[in-house]
Amino acid sequence: MTHMAGRDTGHVVHMREDPRSLPTELRPYLAELVRRTRTVCGPHLVSVLAVGSLALGDYRHGRSDVDVTVVVEPALPGPALHDLAGALAHPQLACPAAGLELVVYGTDFVRRPSGAAGYLLNLNTGPLLPHRADVEAARSPAFWYVIDRSVAHQTGLTLFGRPAREVVAAPDRPDLLAAIRASVREHSDGEGHLADNRVLNGCRSVVFCRTGRWTAKRTAAREVALAEGEFRPLIEAAVRSFERPRSAALPLPTAEVRAFLAWVRARVDQTARAAGA
């Protein structure tokens, strides 16, 4: 297989990652995303990494977003961020998934552990996502980005350039556990999140606290359901809902979701306190 790192292959982009590890529905889209990112960033581009559900092997077409981390040299010209947001915006580049969540970092920030958001550009776009192109990292809740960088360091798929572990530092454990606590609080509030996703993210947080590794949501759900019989019916219902498109998500009992997330929060808080977070 031809690697595309370090040279221009013209109109045809050959993904560095083994294509069999990427969903068939996304391969042309990701190849074009990489091509456009290379065109805009030029020699300042260091890496393009698939993170999130793609990296964890849990992508669900029609339900999941495409999560991508881009790493660039700090010398990237300022207008390039605006140009990149325009080049990748849906529908100019039609996103076949629910949406694209793409974050650009400078190497000077991302190579060191941090509990900050720290991005140069946060782009949300796609058929089911409100468009957002934000360059004000200090105004954003940091926890989403800390968790994503942890996933990237652990299992990020390299689409272009240097491997994830060489360019993205793992957050320090106290910072990461503080981010997980904030994530659980966000999902406990529930606003703007599907109930099944709130439950499955809770499962994934608990499994991380127990093992120190990120797993696919459905894998984490199976582990928690087996260990915690009290919550098994709710978790199994959340998995069934997660396997449907977003528009066809199943309703889950509000009181049971809240009780489960309160339990999750207690487990995460306990782990965070023990680690000094």
Side-chain angles (χ1 to χ4, degrees):
M1 177 176 59
T2 303
H3 287 196
M4 64 183 188
R7 65 186 186 88
D8 190 350
T9 57
H11 294 294
V12 178
V13 173
H14 299 279
M15 307 301 287
R16 175 167 182 169
E17 192 65 36
D18 184 344
R20 290 171 296 183
S21 66
L22 300 170
T24 303
E25 303 94 336
L26 297 182
R27 292 172 195 167
Y29 173 74
L30 290 171
E32 180 62 14
L33 181 150
V34 169
R35 190 192 70 79
R36 293 186 183 203
T37 302
R38 292 184 68 193
T39 297
V40 172
C41 298
H44 302 291
L45 181 61
V46 175
S47 298
V48 181
L49 311 168
V51 298
S53 60
L54 284 174
L56 294 170
D58 204 31
Y59 176 82
R60 290 285 304 166
H61 200 60
R63 162 56 74 106
S64 301
D65 296 317
V66 173
D67 297 288
V68 174
T69 293
V70 174
V71 180
V72 298
E73 294 289 353
L76 180 76
L81 295 172
H82 177 270
D83 295 344
L84 183 63
L88 302 182
H90 178 87
Q92 179 170 322
L93 175 58
C95 180
L100 169 68
E101 295 186 350
L102 179 137
V103 183
V104 180
Y105 294 105
T107 53
D108 53 343
F109 172 80
V110 81
R111 70 188 175 197
R112 298 184 178 91
S114 176
Y119 57 78
L120 300 176
L121 170 68
N122 178 39
L123 174 66
N124 287 359
T125 190
L128 298 181
L129 283 185
H131 185 81
R132 175 188 182 192
D134 178 31
V135 295
E136 300 289 340
R139 299 182 182 179
S140 296
F143 63 89
W144 298 120
Y145 309 96
V146 176
I147 292 172
D148 279 352
R149 292 197 299 271
S150 178
V151 173
H153 180 82
Q154 177 190 296
T155 55
L157 303 179
T158 305
L159 306 180
F160 169 82
R162 293 169 58 191
R165 281 181 173 264
E166 292 184 9
V167 294
V168 180
D172 290 332
R173 185 167 174 81
D175 285 338
L176 180 54
L177 289 170
I180 295 171
R181 291 175 90 178
S183 171
V184 172
R185 287 196 296 271
E186 168 85 7
H187 283 98
S188 295
D189 293 340
E191 184 175 351
H193 300 284
L194 290 172
D196 56 19
N197 203 43
R198 294 165 63 200
V199 170
L200 298 183
N201 269 318
C203 292
R204 194 170 68 171
S205 296
V206 168
V207 171
F208 180 86
C209 288
R210 291 175 176 173
T211 67
R213 289 193 61 80
W214 295 108
T215 59
K217 290 176 182 176
R218 287 174 291 180
T219 301
R222 287 193 296 271
E223 291 188 24
V224 176
L226 285 172
E228 308 294 336
E230 172 187 359
F231 298 118
R232 187 175 303 162
L234 174 67
I235 294 170
E236 290 176 347
V239 171
R240 288 194 297 272
S241 178
F242 180 72
E243 291 173 346
R244 300 162 65 98
R246 289 190 188 188
S247 58
L250 301 172
L252 300 178
T254 301
E256 293 182 24
V257 172
R258 287 177 178 166
F260 174 71
L261 291 175
W263 175 82
V264 169
R265 187 169 178 173
R267 303 287 80 70
V268 174
D269 285 349
Q270 182 181 39
T271 304
R273 285 193 298 269

